[in-house]
Amino acid sequence: MSVLQQMLEKYDTATAEGAVNGLREVMQEVALAGLYRGGFFDKAVFYGGTCLRIFYGLPRFSEDLDFSLLAPDPDFSLDPYFKALRDEFLSLGLDVEISVKQKTVRTGIESAFLKSDTRIFSLAVHAGKTVKIKFEVDTLPPLGFTTEEKLLLQPFSFYVKCFSLPDLFAGKMHALLFRNWKTRVKGRDWFDFEWYVRNGIPMNLPHFAERAKQSGHLQEENSSEQEFRKLLERRIDALDVAAAVSDVARFVKDIEALKIWSWDYFRELAQRVSIKAS
């Protein structure tokens, strides 16, 4: 059995959705391996929903790979790491296409896309879609976070530098409170919020405040715990719960667990958020 088949074995590929989710996660892990070989984690750290899924046991699938530089570098480029990425996939018999998202304005985000046709996995995966992974690097990151080394065992054993859980929680709350999706609701943010609270993870308030100040959503005088809780209450009051459930349903196995979602439920969760103030 090949390494790729071994990696895919742990996923339920009986449905097209399950096959795509499983294949995407395998590709994410192979991409992390390639970045590791290329020395990427000497400069950058992994965070976001996929980090939470792969290394901390979040029970939902995630689409993108999100990274932050350890120190600001507006001239950072992903290009030097593409060879290591391609080589890692080729070593497993998989050819991938990597394309850089061209910036129309100068921002602090470096983006690229990696994709492969699932037909290459036709022996193990029955899905007719092209799997596409976006990976982004924050080149002007808000600081004040801590990191830890997390072990991944496939496609080989290696360590990935990750945000610690309180800082991951801070980043998630920044996204949940300030993400501008217009009419769309990202239920995945609320699923992750629920997971953090249920697991008793404290939120790093200073890192949240750094993110919110950098994005222009908070001033120094408004970065207190009281202000954070007010913002969260208002966000819950405005939440379209049905839309949130609809967004996250295709990424989780246990859809029944979403039936408890309501305004009152999220208000209860909000009261149980633990704050790390320093």
Side-chain angles (χ1 to χ4, degrees), residues 102-122:
Q102 298 301 318
K103 298 181 187 178
T104 54
V105 294
R106 186 171 177 82
T107 70
I109 300 293
E110 176 78 8
S111 301
F113 295 91
L114 182 153
K115 67 179 181 178
S116 170
D117 195 313
T118 59
R119 286 173 297 181
I120 293 175
F121 285 102
S122 59

Side-chain angles (χ1 to χ4, degrees), residues 166-185:
D167 299 309
L168 282 168
F169 194 4
K172 176 53 62 176
M173 293 313 297
H174 178 266
L176 184 149
L177 292 175
F178 304 123
R179 192 192 299 274
N180 182 18
W181 275 44
K182 297 181 181 177
T183 57
R184 288 182 64 190
V185 177

Side-chain angles (χ1 to χ4, degrees), residues 94-265:
L94 180 60
D95 192 16
V96 295
E97 176 186 329
I98 302 174
S99 56
V100 179
K101 182 180 179 182
Q102 298 301 318
K103 298 181 187 178
T104 54
V105 294
R106 186 171 177 82
T107 70
I109 300 293
E110 176 78 8
S111 301
F113 295 91
L114 182 153
K115 67 179 181 178
S116 170
D117 195 313
T118 59
R119 286 173 297 181
I120 293 175
F121 285 102
S122 59
L123 292 177
V125 178
H126 305 287
K129 293 184 178 179
T130 294
V131 174
K132 189 174 183 180
I133 299 169
K134 179 172 73 171
F135 46 109
E136 291 190 341
V137 182
D138 187 346
T139 62
L140 300 171
L143 302 180
F145 57 81
T146 58
T147 67
E148 57 185 336
E149 302 286 328
K150 301 295 288 186
L151 177 64
L152 198 59
L153 297 175
Q154 289 182 312
F156 58 89
S157 294
F158 63 100
Y159 285 98
V160 173
K161 195 185 302 294
C162 299
F163 267 37
S164 65
L165 281 168
D167 299 309
L168 282 168
F169 194 4
K172 176 53 62 176
M173 293 313 297
H174 178 266
L176 184 149
L177 292 175
F178 304 123
R179 192 192 299 274
N180 182 18
W181 275 44
K182 297 181 181 177
T183 57
R184 288 182 64 190
V185 177
K186 192 159 185 181
R188 284 159 278 178
D189 286 343
W190 293 94
F191 186 91
D192 297 0
F193 166 65
E194 177 190 41
W195 183 89
Y196 282 112
V197 177
R198 288 176 64 188
N199 284 276
I201 309 300
M203 189 202 75
N204 185 348
L205 183 63
H207 184 58
F208 166 82
E210 281 296 315
R211 286 184 169 276
K213 284 183 280 186
Q214 187 189 66
S215 63
H217 291 101
L218 276 186
Q219 302 299 317
E220 183 71 48
E221 61 271 19
N222 295 325
S223 58
S224 65
E225 177 179 343
Q226 184 180 18
E227 182 63 24
F228 163 77
R229 293 190 183 277
K230 280 184 188 175
L231 288 167
L232 181 53
E233 285 173 13
R234 287 200 290 267
R235 194 66 160 168
I236 292 169
D237 289 344
L239 176 63
D240 183 333
V241 177
V245 170
S246 178
D247 173 76
V248 78
R250 65 191 173 99
F251 295 99
V252 299
K253 283 185 179 179
D254 185 10
I255 299 175
E256 291 293 308
L258 305 177
K259 285 186 175 179
I260 196 173
W261 281 24
S262 67
W263 287 320
D264 285 342
Y265 177 59

